[in-house]
Amino acid sequence: MKTIDVHAHVVPQSLWNAVEAKKDWYGYTHETGAGLGTIVCNGARTSFTTPKVRFTPEERLKDMDAQGVDMQVLSIHTPFFGYHLDTTTGQALARDVNTEIAGTVREHPKRFAGLATLPMQDVKTAIAELDYAVNKLGLKGAELDTQVNGEQWDEPKFLPFFKAAESMGALLFYHPQPQNNFLRARNPRHGLFNSLGVILDDAIVTATLICGGILEACPDIKICIAHGGGPTCHAMGRLDRGWERLPKDQRTPLPPSAYQKRIYYDTVTSSEEALRFLLDQVGSDRVVVGSDWPFVPWTPGPGGWVQGLKSLSQDEKDKILWKNLEALLKL
């Protein structure tokens, strides 16, 4: 059975080349240490839990074959969004990464598609880079953080970006950056910033896009949220109640639950029960395979995991494994 994975990260080879040359990479510096060491930038430290982050495309293909994955949609590892950089440096980082991803796609067009990274610290520059990435490089959209330097996505300044993405038919894939997670400050213990904080950020951005009127203003926009959207769909009744009780704050003519089926969600829910609930809420047409490669282990692979779920029909599995994403990205 064909499997297309929407959620597969890249740590750019250009970064590792800079590490080998003992040079900075757009303001990111490398410190030696256990494993692959640590990348440091803007006070944030990124270490790596798997050597796969250094895989070449050929090594990645062998790993995909072992996991039964036919195609990955490549996107940058989120600590390297670079939104904190000045616009010129941020744009240079994005162009470097986007060119590299596009090159990998060109070399292996049947195995890879790609999503851009964008300098969202400047909306006009981000729109220009998205246009270049989609219409010149052939990428399918962009991966985005759940916030931009503390600003939320329903700020009016971002609406032209959403309009541009809609007109291009570009997919916007939202994935939190763990370094920005609020649980790091509130409770740094037990790994909660990752296990819980990340999916709370997924829910926050989903609710922001819905309640902020983005989906109302851009009815044809393509949006996918990582990690099954976190607990968003579990909270729809509460979001609806808040919308009903605060009419002065309403920015949409319909309650939030009316918009949840306009969004796509990946399968990185970590349990069959959570995935089944998500499917019952939004329908099998809106769920696609994700793996969070190479950071989450799947047995016997992300597609094999879905295939083994007894609560899903074969029609649901077919849609999730490849049909939905093939149609969405026109693969």
Side-chain angles (χ1 to χ4, degrees):
M1 178 61 64
K2 187 189 299 186
T3 298
I4 304 174
D5 180 3
V6 77
H7 186 165
H9 293 298
V10 170
V11 177
Q13 290 294 323
S14 62
L15 183 152
W16 297 120
N17 292 340
V19 169
E20 293 293 336
K22 301 186 184 304
K23 295 180 179 179
D24 288 0
W25 185 80
Y26 302 106
Y28 291 82
T29 59
H30 179 257
E31 293 181 357
T32 57
L36 296 174
T38 302
I39 305 295
V40 182
C41 191
N42 198 37
R45 303 176 64 82
T46 300
S47 55
F48 303 102
T49 57
T50 170
K52 292 182 181 181
V53 295
R54 288 211 68 167
F55 273 12
T56 63
E58 290 70 28
E59 290 171 318
R60 180 188 286 258
L61 286 168
K62 291 180 181 179
D63 191 73
M64 290 165 59
D65 290 341
Q67 295 197 34
V69 174
D70 296 275
M71 176 176 278
Q72 286 184 344
V73 182
L74 306 176
S75 58
I76 196 169
H77 184 29
T78 58
F80 306 112
F81 281 135
Y83 293 171
H84 64 284
L85 301 169
D86 65 83
T87 299
T88 300
T89 305
Q91 196 277 333
L93 181 157
R95 181 62 58 88
D96 187 350
V97 172
N98 297 340
T99 301
E100 181 176 312
I101 290 176
T104 301
V105 173
R106 281 195 304 273
E107 290 177 6
H108 307 279
K110 294 183 179 180
R111 304 302 304 273
F112 296 120
L115 297 175
T117 190
L118 304 174
M120 288 308 310
Q121 54 269 57
D122 184 85
V123 174
K124 289 184 178 180
T125 305
I127 292 172
E129 184 61 26
L130 180 63
D131 179 68
Y132 181 84
V134 170
N135 294 314
K136 299 295 184 181
L137 295 179
L139 301 184
K140 298 297 184 178
E143 182 191 33
L144 303 166
D145 198 355
T146 51
Q147 58 176 309
V148 180
N149 299 328
E151 291 187 297
Q152 305 308 306
W153 286 99
D154 59 349
E155 293 289 341
K157 64 183 284 186
F158 294 119
L159 185 57
F161 170 75
F162 290 116
K163 290 288 189 181
E166 182 185 33
S167 70
M168 296 178 207
L171 176 67
L172 303 181
F173 178 57
Y174 279 92
H175 189 302
Q177 184 177 173
Q179 284 83 349
N180 291 338
N181 192 274
F182 64 92
L183 270 183
R184 281 186 179 273
R186 180 169 176 175
N187 187 351
R189 297 181 293 278
H190 320 303
L192 292 179
F193 76 93
N194 189 15
S195 60
L196 182 61
V198 163
I199 63 171
L200 292 177
D201 266 346
D202 291 318
I204 290 169
V205 74
T206 307
T208 298
L209 293 169
I210 291 174
C211 298
I214 306 306
L215 298 175
E216 178 67 27
C218 304
D220 295 322
I221 198 165
K222 299 176 180 179
I223 289 174
C224 182
I225 310 294
H227 316 111
T232 314
C233 292
H234 291 265
M236 275 300 159
R238 190 173 180 88
L239 289 171
D240 281 356
R241 186 177 68 175
W243 179 88
E244 292 166 357
R245 292 179 61 187
L246 299 170
K248 292 183 180 179
D249 291 340
Q250 292 175 5
R251 293 171 66 176
T252 61
L254 301 173
S257 60
Y259 298 91
Q260 64 179 336
K261 293 183 180 181
R262 297 191 189 180
I263 294 174
Y264 291 84
Y265 309 83
D266 78 12
T267 56
V268 188
T269 60
S270 298
S271 76
E272 180 172 359
E273 293 80 7
L275 181 58
R276 181 70 262 171
F277 181 85
L278 176 64
L279 287 165
D280 291 341
Q281 295 302 301
V282 304
S284 58
D285 292 336
R286 290 285 161 168
V287 180
V288 296
V289 165
S291 70
D292 207 350
W293 193 94
F295 304 109
V296 177
W298 297 92
T299 303
W305 179 75
V306 171
Q307 281 280 37
L309 300 181
K310 296 181 179 179
S311 67
L312 277 63
S313 70
Q314 191 58 51
D315 179 62
E316 288 176 319
K317 292 175 183 178
D318 290 344
K319 290 179 179 179
I320 293 167
L321 288 169
W322 64 276
K323 287 184 177 180
N324 292 340
L325 203 55
E326 186 175 82
L328 178 64
L329 299 183
K330 300 179 180 179
L331 297 175

